[in-house]
Amino acid sequence: MSLREEKEIHIHNPKMLLFSICFVLMFSVMNGTMFNIAIPDIAESFNLLPSEVSWVMTGYIMIYSVGALVYGKLADTVSFKKLITFGLTVFTIGSLIGFIAPNYYFVLAARVIQAIGGSMMPAIAFIAPIRFFPNERGKILGIISSVMAFASGIGPILGGVIAGFLTWQYLFLTSALMIVTLPFLLKNLPDEETVSAKLDYLGAALVAVTISTTIIGITLAMTEVLWITIVAFVLAVVRMFTAKHPFIPPHLFKNRNYIVAIISSFLAVACLFGLMFTVPIMLRDVYDLTTMQIGLVMFPGAMSAALIGRKGGRLVDQIGARKVYMMSLGLLTTGFVIISSTVGLTPLIVSAMLVFPMMCFPLVQASGADILANMLPKHETGVGMGVFNLLNFVSGALSGAIVGVALDSFSPQDPFNWLAISGDSAVFSNVFLTFVGLVLTSFILFIFIYRERAHPAT
């Protein structure tokens, strides 16, 4: 047990602390959804293929995923105030670089710097409820989920308006405004003692190499790079079992329920991120919509997620996270079937149908996080959440890279879904039908292998 867990932390104003965390979280989430909308504009500005421009999202998520676990581990020994000050400062620097970027390489560099700073947020958002609100964890996770859903609803339309009336560069400038939350967080976070941090830098580097080479190999179709992935993965596993303080503790994977939960979540979140990446490209290629019009088409679906977020959190407390999670996977499967069948119809119909898969985002998120928090002992929750977040973000990066390659390589005129329309929209219908299969796999895996404990871990 860490020093942090041996004494109770006193918070002067819990409501203001929660408000401050939610405020910075909202900016962090909007940073992702705004750039999803601008992907077609960025591709047009630099004459990029879908697989190349996907690095605006996948590159960010790649760094973000590893950073989320690093910050999660550091949160056990370094005060939240120091982590937040460093994270928000670095994120703002990256945003300003992106605003003045003269070419695509500077844009990618800016996104990497943003990710190094912004990956602090998962540690704050998911560990703070466990550390500072242990008796209201379910309620707080529901609030956080609804804030994330609200931000995802505001992000597309805000990104469309900013990039439509100005240019996509101003999205970076908008993201820089997140620095205004720093004084509020520093004022309301409790003072914590910083103890000596023991971080397995070699293990972290091996995990980072495994993730990055996997995405590079898929995105650039460089199979030789995947050999580096295999070697790095083997070395990471060896390091995990031999290091005194491993980057990822091996004992986590002795828990069958934990393994099932992270694999099931990996598949579901990959499809959700894939949806967010695919839809803007589809609306540009099939319907020739402007950036603002893309934001308007996606807005109803994103706002449905915002509206259902808080109710989903309450539902987790009322009927249990497992039931909500299975229900959300069933709804997500149905949503992908619907959108796969309606691609190619009018933008108004597509906009209405996007509501079904997009509203499942907060349900999957809130119930999945609560399942994980319940199954692990308290002293392992931080690192457990870190690995959970790591794999979820990696799933998003992989889905964007794989979808980008699929859109580059295939252009069928006849969709696999016999309900869908033939033509340029066929490839997108097939992508969404693939998501149906992945979510069904996630559902079957969870319902048949996961076993709910009679009592939560302590």
Side-chain angles (χ1 to χ4, degrees):
M1 181 176 294
S2 68
L3 296 177
R4 293 280 173 79
E5 297 166 13
E6 295 175 357
K7 57 183 180 181
E8 183 178 354
I9 298 176
H10 176 69
I11 303 173
H12 297 289
N13 195 332
K15 290 184 178 180
M16 282 302 300
L17 173 60
L18 178 60
F19 175 81
S20 300
I21 291 174
C22 289
F23 193 60
V24 70
L25 179 63
M26 183 174 68
F27 270 87
S28 178
V29 173
M30 285 196 305
N31 180 65
T33 57
M34 287 192 302
F35 277 94
N36 285 341
I37 288 294
I39 282 176
D41 277 354
I42 297 175
E44 186 176 342
S45 296
F46 300 107
N47 194 25
L48 303 170
L49 294 171
S51 59
E52 295 171 325
V53 75
S54 70
W55 279 95
V56 172
M57 186 177 80
T58 56
Y60 180 86
I61 296 175
M62 185 176 68
I63 303 298
Y64 201 91
S65 60
V66 179
L69 180 53
V70 172
Y71 280 111
K73 292 176 71 68
L74 289 177
D76 287 331
T77 54
V78 180
S79 71
F80 269 27
K81 286 187 175 181
K82 289 186 177 180
L83 291 179
I84 286 175
T85 300
F86 175 81
L88 289 184
T89 302
V90 171
F91 181 88
T92 303
I93 292 173
S95 299
L96 295 177
I97 291 174
F99 178 64
I100 61 175
N103 56 52
Y104 185 54
Y105 296 106
F106 272 83
V107 172
L108 290 182
R111 290 292 279 169
V112 167
I113 296 172
Q114 277 190 327
I116 292 173
S119 56
M120 161 271 303
M121 273 315 304
I124 303 301
F126 288 99
I127 298 177
I130 299 169
R131 178 182 299 179
F132 302 141
F133 307 94
N135 299 323
E136 300 178 291
R137 186 185 64 210
K139 174 185 174 182
I140 301 303
L141 284 173
I143 293 173
I144 287 175
S145 177
S146 67
V147 169
M148 294 180 72
F150 174 75
S152 69
I154 294 296
I157 190 65
L158 183 61
V161 169
I162 293 173
F165 280 107
L166 300 171
T167 63
W168 58 264
Q169 287 90 340
Y170 281 87
L171 297 179
F172 278 105
L173 194 61
T174 304
S175 298
L177 294 176
M178 195 162 74
I179 194 67
V180 304
T181 62
L182 183 58
F184 298 97
L185 286 163
L186 293 180
K187 179 179 180 180
N188 293 291
L189 278 168
D191 292 321
E192 299 172 287
E193 180 184 357
T194 296
V195 296
S196 178
K198 297 178 179 179
L199 183 64
D200 179 17
Y201 294 100
L202 178 57
L206 290 171
V207 171
V209 170
T210 301
I211 294 170
S212 59
T213 54
T214 298
I215 299 173
I216 290 172
I218 293 173
T219 304
L220 302 181
M222 299 173 61
T223 55
E224 62 273 17
V225 174
L226 296 179
W227 286 108
I228 301 177
T229 301
I230 296 173
V231 173
F233 175 76
V234 171
L235 292 176
V237 172
V238 172
R239 180 67 181 177
M240 185 170 62
F241 283 95
T242 57
K244 186 176 181 180
H245 302 284
F247 184 60
I248 300 178
H251 62 263
L252 284 176
F253 303 103
K254 295 180 180 179
N255 186 331
R256 182 183 64 177
N257 282 351
Y258 182 80
I259 295 175
V260 172
I262 60 176
I263 293 177
S264 176
S265 176
F266 181 94
L267 294 174
V269 173
C271 296
L272 288 165
F273 273 108
L275 173 73
M276 298 299 292
F277 173 77
T278 306
V279 170
I281 296 176
M282 177 192 73
L283 294 174
R284 177 62 60 87
D285 290 353
V286 177
Y287 300 98
D288 197 28
L289 300 184
T290 65
T291 302
M292 185 179 298
Q293 289 171 333
I294 291 173
L296 291 173
V297 169
M298 295 183 67
F299 184 68
M303 284 308 299
S304 71
L307 295 174
I308 204 171
R310 182 179 291 270
K311 293 182 179 180
R314 292 175 181 173
L315 200 60
V316 167
D317 290 333
Q318 292 171 357
I319 67 174
R322 186 173 186 269
K323 291 182 179 178
V324 174
Y325 186 69
M326 290 190 296
M327 178 185 69
S328 64
L329 291 181
L331 290 173
L332 187 57
T333 301
T334 304
F336 279 127
V337 170
I338 291 173
I339 192 63
S340 172
S341 303
T342 54
V343 171
L345 300 180
T346 66
L348 285 177
I349 294 177
V350 172
S351 179
M353 296 305 101
L354 280 173
V355 168
F356 294 96
M358 292 180 72
M359 73 178 184
C360 297
F361 197 100
L363 293 176
V364 171
Q365 210 164 38
S367 57
D370 196 74
I371 285 172
L372 181 65
N374 274 315
M375 74 171 62
L376 294 172
K378 291 182 179 179
H379 65 280
E380 294 181 352
T381 304
V383 65
M385 292 296 290
V387 174
F388 185 77
N389 286 328
L390 169 71
L391 292 178
N392 280 347
F393 291 130
V394 169
S395 72
L398 284 175
S399 66
I402 293 172
V403 170
V405 171
L407 296 179
D408 288 348
S409 306
F410 302 103
S411 55
Q413 293 298 303
D414 296 317
F416 296 133
N417 185 346
W418 61 274
L419 294 174
I421 297 175
S422 299
D424 293 340
S425 62
V427 64
F428 297 101
S429 175
N430 291 346
V431 167
F432 296 133
L433 197 62
T434 302
F435 291 160
V436 172
L438 291 176
V439 177
L440 278 176
T441 301
S442 173
F443 182 83
I444 293 170
L445 181 68
F446 190 83
I447 197 171
F448 285 108
I449 301 180
Y450 181 89
R451 291 293 181 269
E452 194 166 16
R453 293 182 176 182
H455 303 285
T458 57

